[in-house]
Amino acid sequence: MRLILLGPPGAGKGTQAQRLVHAYNIVQLSTGDMLRAAVATGSPIGLRAKAVMEAGDLVSDDILIGMIACRVNEDDCRNGFILDGFPRTLAQAEALEGMLAEKSLTLDAVIEMKVDDALLIGRITGRYTCANCGAGYHDEILQPKVSGICDNCGRTDFNRRSDDNVEAVGTRLAAYHEQTAPLLPFYRAKGSLKTIDGMAEIDAVTKAMKAILDAG
Ligand code: AMP
């Protein structure tokens, strides 16, 4: 199964992707995570991306397209993948079409998670992840069962993203509306776009996604 999760920052793409990975035995390809790893190791891509990401702007298409083109060729993608954060521009979407066509692969679904901008700022500024396993939490919406201890791996170190602040979030939302929203009519015209209410409870969103995916 191959799918794209589309939606503004804070829509819950990463949270839902983690759940779908387990349900369908596929991998999550988060370009944000890949770039953050590149920044952390100080690789040439990381050095180019760091300031752009901190400001909340989009990293250049050539970097992203090259990154995904390599990643989808890896063995663990054979059973399928969830693209989380890619494509984010029409140029990326068109490049992805080319990559898939070359391998005679198709997308099973493009799911838009629709969330009002007003909700997103609070969602983003309250979120954090386990430093060890990456499980996602939120100060109000999704706390660990035992305060300060990751439900998934039991560790006690957590991280907050440096771009999850009010200024960068404004820029990220603007980038979504200007550069990513045009992908909605692009995929709608291909008949692959499904839209779900991303403001529903986390479990209800997962259920709605599974209903789409299981309907084939
Ligand atoms: P995310 O974790 O998806 O919110 O991505 C964090 C940041 O990484 C974004 O604000 C961009 O600066 C950069 N980024 C991630 N994916 C892309 C992409 N497909 N195109 C351009 N920039 C990206």
Side-chain angles (χ1 to χ4, degrees):
M1 177 174 298
R2 285 169 295 277
L3 69 139
I4 295 175
L5 295 187
L6 273 181
K13 300 185 296 294
T15 303
Q16 295 299 332
Q18 284 178 4
R19 291 170 166 222
L20 297 175
V21 156
H22 295 297
Y24 296 97
N25 189 27
I26 51 182
V27 291
Q28 172 188 9
L29 304 184
S30 158
T31 44
D33 284 350
M34 292 177 203
L35 288 167
R36 279 184 287 280
V39 170
T41 58
S43 73
I45 285 180
L47 294 176
R48 277 177 69 187
K50 187 172 190 289
V52 178
M53 292 172 74
E54 274 171 7
D57 289 315
L58 293 188
V59 176
S60 68
D61 285 333
D62 60 327
I63 290 185
L64 270 297
I65 291 167
M67 216 170 191
I68 284 292
C70 287
R71 187 65 187 84
V72 295
N73 276 327
E74 287 175 29
D75 277 354
D76 62 347
C77 289
R78 271 207 207 128
N79 200 35
F81 48 78
I82 306 171
L83 289 168
D84 159 15
F86 183 96
R88 250 173 162 105
T89 64
L90 276 174
Q92 293 178 16
E94 277 156 7
L96 176 65
E97 295 280 301
M99 283 173 220
L100 294 175
E102 230 171 65
K103 299 161 175 281
S104 305
L105 297 176
T106 52
L107 287 170
D108 294 283
V110 179
I111 302 182
E112 176 200 8
M113 302 176 69
K114 213 173 165 60
V115 181
D116 290 345
D117 278 8
L119 250 189
L120 295 170
I121 307 249
R123 274 197 180 186
I124 295 176
T125 52
R127 70 186 184 179
Y128 59 98
T129 53
C130 172
N132 177 51
C133 72
Y137 298 99
H138 189 279
D139 293 328
E140 281 136 36
I141 306 166
L142 183 64
Q143 294 161 352
K145 292 190 182 86
V146 179
S147 176
I149 301 178
C150 177
D151 295 345
N152 191 44
C153 72
R155 296 278 286 269
T156 55
D157 308 338
F158 297 91
N159 289 331
R160 284 181 195 263
R161 283 169 47 170
S162 59
D163 60 347
D164 278 351
N165 60 71
V166 178
E167 298 75 42
V169 171
T171 308
R172 288 159 65 196
L173 282 176
Y176 178 76
H177 290 298
E178 285 158 24
Q179 298 181 73
T180 308
L183 301 189
L184 300 172
F186 176 85
Y187 286 117
R188 193 174 292 121
K190 292 180 182 295
S192 38
L193 186 73
K194 306 275 189 236
T195 298
I196 59 160
D197 176 11
M199 292 182 284
E201 291 279 310
I202 295 176
D203 286 346
V205 174
T206 310
K207 203 170 158 199
M209 288 196 172
K210 286 186 178 166
I212 289 170
L213 298 173
D214 293 343

